[in-house]
Every structure is written in structure tokens, then in C-alpha cells.
Amino acid sequence: MGKVWFVGAGPGDPDLMTVKGRDLITKADAILFAGSLVSLAATRWAPAHCEIQDSKGMDLEQIIGWLIDKAQAGQSVIRLQTGDPGLYGALIEMVQPLDQAGIEVEVVPGVSSAMASAATAVESLTLPEITQTVILTRVEGRTPMPEGESLTELAQHHATLCIYLSITLLEKVESELLAAGWSQEAPILVVHKASWPDEERIIRGTLANIRERCKAEKINSQAMIIVSPTLGARQWPSMKKSKLYDKNFSHRFRCAAKERSA
Ligand code: SAH
């Protein structure tokens, strides 16, 4: 019996896949990749005999059938997913039937698009005394939001919000944030195709103008929306420093200056 690996392909640039994921690809017999977002380049390390299939036109049942067939034939199978497989990736829906079929499963994490978007814009999702919390969420589209998780409710924390799957619902994002008490001037970052060579675009704006800017740039898919009181900190004239590198702060690997001299 073979095995199925759910591998996070990262946000787009194949170099952002983990070394572990890449090593597995070099030994794979069959790779089923999520074609809409995972670049074919991600499969560039596959051996010559490897069967590579795009799952774009397949429904869940067909995907599961494909994975089970290959694993039952003794193959090493990879389901290559965008970003991290554990975020909006239908992971458990695919794992359960594999468990039922007695097929071994392992998951390799990936760089999620929220992290790639913050990185390319040189933003920190947390800052001392500004916010120490990141909420990964989406607004309600065809998938309903569970009770207590509307953006208006989550945004009341004034923590960092990384909003997936919602670029076509920017108007709703705006109105829910305003209802939660964010100002029209609150900074907002939209990154389209973060890390994709030649295709990435970074749009900065405020709640008041971001929709217009995205429209002008024709951004209506594959985009991350980040709203955070930390945005733009690179340009702030002063800010609280983190304790991590403070010379008066001890932690497990370093003694504070006072203690060292004592
Ligand atoms: N598992 C993925 C998310 C899949 S849901 C992850 O961890 O990133 C698909 C949504 O992810 C898109 O609607 C978009 O909001 C976001 N996304 C995926 N790749 C992206 C990229 N390269 N740049 C910006 N957003 C991306």
C-alpha cells in the first residue's frame, strides 16, 4: 500500500516550498495539484516517471478516487495544495475517506499566503503594544460563517486581520470594519499573487479608497487582504521595541545586562 502526502506548495514561488516538500516531490510516483493556484513550476522536481495531474476540473469524489487508486497501487502520492494545506484546503474531507480505505496519510505544512503577503510588503503582523494577535478569516460568501465569526465581531479586537477568499467582497469587508469601529482612514493592504514571479502586485490604501484602487488595477482574484494597526510601521518615526532583543530583558538564551555584570 502506498501513502498520500498532503504537501503545502506555498503561495506561488516554488522556492517557497519547504525542503521536505521538495524532497518528497523528487520521489513521487503521482502528483495531483490544485491547478487554479499552484504553479505547474511546483512540479518541476518530479521524476520522469511521475504522473502529474491538475485537479482543476475534478470534484471531491474524483479527487479522492484518484488518490486512493494510486495509493492502492503502491505509489507514493502527493496532493499538492496552495499555501498551507490546513487553511481553506478541504484537508479533512480528503483525509477521512483515505483513513477509511486504510491508507497512510501525512501532511507537510506550507507558507500561507498571509505570511507571503506580509513578507513581500515588509510588514509585521504583530508589534509590541499595538497588537499581539493575528486573526485568519474570510467574509461570508457561499460558505456561511459560524455564529460569532462575522468580520464585524472579529474586527472589534482591533487585532491584525488576514482576510482570505474575499477580494470580490471588498465592499462587505469595508462595511463590516466600519461597523466594528475602524476608521475610513485605517490602512489596508491587498496583495495579488504574492510571491508569483512577474505577477505579484501590492496595493496599499485605506478603507475609504482601497476598492477604487483595486478596481483600477483590475484585481479581482487570488488576493490577500490585510487590515492591521501595524501596517506602514516601517515609516513610523518612533515605536515601542520588542522585549526579545532588549538588553535589560533576560530569556532562556541570554542574560540581561544587569545579571551578566552581577
Ligand atoms: N491554503 C491557502 C489558502 C487557500 S484559499 C493558503 O494557506 O494560503 C485561497 C485564497 O488564498 C485566495 O482567495 C486568496 O485570498 C489567498 N491566496 C492564495 N494564494 C495567494 C497568493 N499567492 N497571493 C495572495 N493571496 C493568495
Side-chain angles (χ1 to χ4, degrees):
M1 190 75 101
K3 176 167 173 174
V4 177
W5 300 83
F6 289 85
V7 174
D13 178 352
D15 284 352
L16 288 178
M17 192 185 303
T18 62
V19 173
K20 181 163 185 168
R22 194 182 59 191
D23 284 351
L24 286 165
I25 285 180
T26 65
K27 293 179 222 138
D29 300 308
I31 300 174
L32 186 62
F33 71 98
S36 54
L37 283 169
V38 180
S39 164
L40 230 191
T43 57
R44 66 164 76 139
W45 301 290
H49 78 272
C50 182
E51 184 178 342
I52 301 174
Q53 165 89 40
D54 187 344
S55 65
K56 200 161 41 191
M58 293 162 92
D59 61 24
L60 186 66
E61 215 171 293
Q62 290 167 322
I63 290 174
I64 292 162
W66 197 95
L67 298 173
I68 290 180
D69 281 354
K70 308 287 170 199
Q72 282 179 339
Q75 298 190 350
S76 178
V77 187
I78 292 182
R79 166 66 179 160
L80 197 55
Q81 304 211 183
T82 171
D84 181 82
L87 285 169
Y88 309 109
L91 175 66
I92 302 305
E93 291 159 50
M94 289 182 270
V95 167
Q96 279 185 346
L98 295 171
D99 283 343
Q100 277 152 20
I103 294 163
E104 205 186 333
V105 164
E106 209 165 316
V107 181
V108 180
V111 174
S112 185
S113 47
M115 281 69 221
S117 298
T120 190
V122 196
E123 294 289 356
S124 179
L125 299 178
T126 61
L127 282 178
E129 297 182 33
I130 304 291
T131 184
Q132 294 286 286
T133 304
V134 181
I135 297 173
L136 308 181
T137 190
R138 62 176 297 172
V139 291
E140 184 162 312
R142 271 177 299 177
T143 306
M145 288 304 278
E147 216 181 299
E149 292 187 27
S150 71
L151 195 57
T152 306
E153 285 161 290
L154 298 176
Q156 281 169 16
H157 294 282
H158 286 260
T160 296
L161 297 159
C162 298
I163 309 172
Y164 292 70
L165 294 159
S166 303
I167 193 65
T168 58
L169 301 165
L170 255 184
E171 195 173 349
K172 197 174 163 77
V173 170
E174 275 166 41
S175 63
E176 295 213 31
L177 288 169
L178 292 173
W182 290 64
S183 97
Q184 294 270 11
E185 299 316 308
I188 177 162
L189 169 73
V190 170
V191 183
H192 172 72
K193 291 197 139 186
S195 87
W196 284 66
D198 309 323
E199 289 183 76
E200 174 184 281
R201 270 180 298 161
I202 301 175
I203 317 288
R204 290 178 184 273
T206 60
L207 278 189
N209 66 21
I210 195 72
R211 200 147 38 101
E212 195 182 300
R213 291 192 180 177
C214 286
K215 200 169 160 202
E217 296 276 337
K218 298 194 172 58
I219 289 177
N220 48 28
S221 67
Q222 297 181 24
M224 173 60 48
I225 305 165
I226 299 182
V227 203
S228 171
T230 66
L231 289 178
R234 195 181 187 182
Q235 269 85 39
W236 294 353
S238 71
M239 85 175 208
K240 287 266 189 280
K241 301 271 171 22
S242 108
K243 297 258 186 280
L244 187 59
Y245 300 114
D246 184 338
K247 65 177 175 337
N248 296 315
F249 180 73
S250 300
H251 58 65
R252 199 147 67 86
F253 301 107
R254 198 189 58 228
C255 292
K258 272 200 307 283
E259 290 174 26
R260 271 201 308 269
S261 55

